Amino acid sequence: MTEVNEAGGAPHVSLRGVTKRYGGVTALEGVDFSCRLGSIHAVLGENGAGKSTLIKIMSGVVRPDEGEMRIAGAPVEFRHPAEANRAGIVCIFQELSLLPDLTVADNISIADPPRRFGLIDSRAQRRRAEALLARIGCEDVNPLLRVRDLPLSRRQMVEIAKALAKDPKVLILDEATSALTAADVERVFGVLRRLKAEGVSILTISHRMHEIEAVADMCSVFRNGRHVETFAQGARSAGQIVEMMIGREISAQFPPKPAPTPKPPVMETKGLSWEGRLNGIDLHVGKGEIVGLGGLDGQGQKELLLALFGVLKGVSGEVKVSGKPVRVRSPLEAKRAGIDMALIPEDRKTEGLLLPMSIADNLLVASLDRLSKGPFIDAKAAAAAVEDGIRRLRIKIGDAGDPVATLSGGNQQKVVIAKWLMTGPKTILLNDPTRGIDVGTKQEIYRLLRELADAGAAILFYSTDYEELIGCCDRVAVMYDGRVRAELEGDEITERNIVASALAMDAREAAE
Amino acid sequence: MSDLAIRLRRNGGFLAAIGLFAAFYLFYHANHPRGFSVPVLIQNVNEAFTLAMVAMAQTLPVLTGGLDLSVGAVMTLVNCLASEVLTGGPLELAFGILLCLLTGALCGFVNGCVVVFGRIQPIIATLATGAIYMGLALFIRPSPGGKVDGDLSWAATNDLYEIAATYGFAEGGDAAWFQPIAWIPTPLILLILVPLLFWLPFARSVTGRTVYAIGSGEGAAWMSGLAIGRARIAAFTLGGFFAGMGGLYLALQTSSGNADIPQAGAYTLNSIAAVVVGGVSLLGGVGTAVGALFGALVLRTISFNFRIFEIDPLLQPLIEGVVLLAAVSLGAVRVLRVKNTLELFR
């Protein structure tokens, strides 16, 4: 340990000349990279920059085509994630690696459960889960619950507990905080800082600059499969980093907002309630208006979107579309003419896309009824619609017949959005649409939302990222405990106000 | 939510199967002229035992998310083998029993290897291997018959008194200390011992946990660094072992072997029904072999009830189908409670 401190952290894992190709695509090219013990190292880059491939190689999921990897100076070759685990490298992946049908306790100890007489000791396993959950401040999660029954943000915390159970020497977090609430992010950071002090090497991938500023001490930027630069955190400005990532300078992150004018409401709700999670929501979204939903995670924002889209049963209260009361009982009814809603769902892999099907099929799937002649799909109209959708969102693809699963995360999300735009929606509901997406695509999405609003759409937009709400929305409804706690407009939309309302503080208290 | 409530909710399908079985079986005894008597119980367990084993055999592949269409064939193959080898002295008999069980396990092992190394989906892999096992069974026993040791057969399919009487311990079954337990049917003991000795340890082993993990999400299981291939092969092997146990018992019960193709098919299909009634998810990852065992008991109890009500045999398949549909629908009741329709698809 003394050696580590003197050197300010010895290089522990190092990669030299690592190249990886998938078919014709080069994901990593001649990358030299190393990370030190007792440091928190942030890896930045747009989606498709090679970050994911980098950590997949380090954690034994894929093998490099060229180059070598060393741990503490000795060359290693992993054939399996378990081998990387044994060498002390543990990765928390962006796609959750939890088993939904098993309990929290089972999941946390899945790789190496405590045993008695050769069999799994469920009591010891439960105690271990409780201890690890307590360590990351999640005492409220009962280890007996099935993971399936937890909300996404809690699952992510379980995922982190599971990684800690393996006692990592190198801990890799791939977008591990993107689904977390601000309070949980702080707790995770606390754990990371403690691990760092214990001499663990931490590698984190995040798209949230303020999180990197808060926790990292080293940064590496990747672009197009190459390692651009590694520098001490703080040595470069945010603007310079963004420039390095996208290779071009960007003037403003968010498109300008129009001056506020009174807008006729497209969608209104009155006293919307459901199962104690929504407790009487009064909200309206006007024509050409972007309304943000803010607040801590799990205050009913997602349920509100699902209720509007007809996914929830037993919703009480009133919903009006263009002044007429409507009752939407399924997504099928939600997209019908007269209601014209679209929902960009929370989880694009399970709710947004048909992963094995082609890009073209995915683009068409919500508007098949519009593109058919009798019972058959009009091939010509469909091809035209696909081409139009790809062009409109500038989706980067090889061929529209490729499986959508082959696209990068950002492009997959564009497919989901393009699919719904084809239906010509008048109300667009978005559930955290920029989660796990690179900066460039995020900006394209912000611009697109503004264009759609200008063209007359009503947009209701839930985001866990306050910056996004501030930069994008004409109005922000901050939710707390299934109610709209505050509506902020114009200059009132500040981080301070959003946070104060999210914590259900009165404006006076916040000011004091 | 309390721990108990969480546990109850997690085992809903299993508890429903037990409830259903208890209801049907009590109804049967209440209406049987010699209801609530030991001979009726012995007869019932004998008739249910083989299906219970085959249902447990089916559970393991289903937990990994695949169907095994060869369980009936493996059961039949072992049944035919048993009708050849279960004769001779005690040593030969012990060797015969061991051979039968090993053959079942070997068939399962082969299934597992074909699925894992051939990367073939279980349903089609076992359709093929099942035909091969059936062919082997026909090769061993072209026509029904064979010979099974009479003493062993008698002892295994009656009560403990008959074991003592046959093999001459506990003063031929008449010892005073022996009387409180002398009435217990031997197959009932086996029916409790087999899951206790083989299923429960497996379910609590790392390999068993891995089997659940595969059915719940194979990608996540792989990324968690679990030995997926090994667990899959283990699941099929233990499944084959249970199917072999069923075939062995059928030979003891009928004192013969019979390579009956329709019978093998019926066992396979009933095993799938039993698994579902017992609360095992066909998508994998949820349920237990004990649940499937109760599922098998539910199915058998339905046909017991036919007998006492003297239902026209021509009507029986129809009624059986309706009852089965109703029983499976019980599992769908949760759909009515789900308030977020998205959860139906997870």
Side-chain angles (χ1 to χ4, degrees), chain A residues 207 434 437-446 465 468:
Chain A
H207 290 306
T434 58
I437 283 184
D438 59 288
V439 179
T441 310
K442 271 186 187 180
Q443 298 200 0
E444 286 183 59
I445 290 176
Y446 302 147
D465 188 341
E468 225 167 69

Side-chain angles (χ1 to χ4, degrees), chain B residues 14-32 36 277 294 297-302 304-305 308-309 323 327 330:
Chain B
F14 174 54
L15 296 173
I18 293 180
L20 207 60
F21 163 69
F24 281 180
Y25 199 53
L26 284 175
F27 182 73
Y28 166 74
H29 271 293
N31 288 288
H32 195 289
F36 302 108
V277 173
F294 276 97
L297 297 184
V298 169
L299 294 186
R300 277 296 185 248
T301 312
I302 293 172
F304 295 162
N305 276 303
I308 49 168
F309 291 104
V323 174
L330 279 181

Side-chain angles (χ1 to χ4, degrees), chain A residues 1 4 12-13 36-38 71 85 87-90 166-171 195 198-202:
Chain A
M1 280 303 130
V4 170
H12 184 60
V13 182
R36 291 162 185 278
L37 292 175
I71 292 184
N85 285 173
I89 301 183
V90 174
K166 293 177 188 163
D167 221 350
K169 195 80 198 143
V170 179
L171 180 66
L195 288 173
E198 288 165 16
V200 175
S201 171
I202 295 158

Side-chain angles (χ1 to χ4, degrees), chain A residues 172-232:
Chain A
I172 305 174
L173 296 97
D174 183 5
E175 282 284 328
T177 54
S178 61
L180 295 183
T181 62
D184 281 340
V185 168
E186 250 335 291
R187 286 197 198 110
V188 171
F189 284 177
V191 174
L192 292 187
R193 290 190 190 105
R194 215 174 315 140
L195 288 173
K196 172 185 154 183
E198 288 165 16
V200 175
S201 171
I202 295 158
L203 205 60
T204 165
I205 291 182
S206 170
H207 290 306
R208 295 179 176 179
M209 275 309 296
H210 59 276
E211 291 185 7
I212 290 167
E213 281 164 15
V215 77
D217 43 31
M218 292 296 287
C219 295
S220 290
V221 177
F222 278 70
R223 184 173 74 223
N224 291 333
R226 289 169 191 275
H227 178 196
V228 180
E229 195 181 328
T230 293
F231 49 89

Side-chain angles (χ1 to χ4, degrees), chain A residues 61 80 93 97 99-101 103 106 115 119-120 125-126 142 144 148-149 162 274-275 311-313 351, chain B residues 3 6 9-10 201 204-206 209 213 216-217 220 222-226 286 335 338-341 346:
Chain A
V61 179
H80 191 279
F93 286 100
S97 76
L99 298 152
D101 295 318
T103 65
D106 286 344
R115 269 161 279 194
L119 298 180
I120 294 169
Q125 185 180 271
R126 185 171 170 191
N142 188 327
L144 281 180
R148 183 183 289 284
D149 299 326
K162 176 183 163 184
W274 179 74
E275 291 283 298
V311 175
L312 305 183
K313 289 198 286 188
E351 295 156 25
Chain B
D3 289 0
I6 291 174
R9 205 164 62 129
R10 235 168 50 201
R204 294 191 59 187
S205 69
V206 173
R209 174 70 51 79
S216 186
W222 164 254
M223 294 303 271
S224 301
L226 298 178
V286 179
V335 173
V338 170
K339 292 285 185 188
N340 182 344
T341 50
R346 281 181 184 144

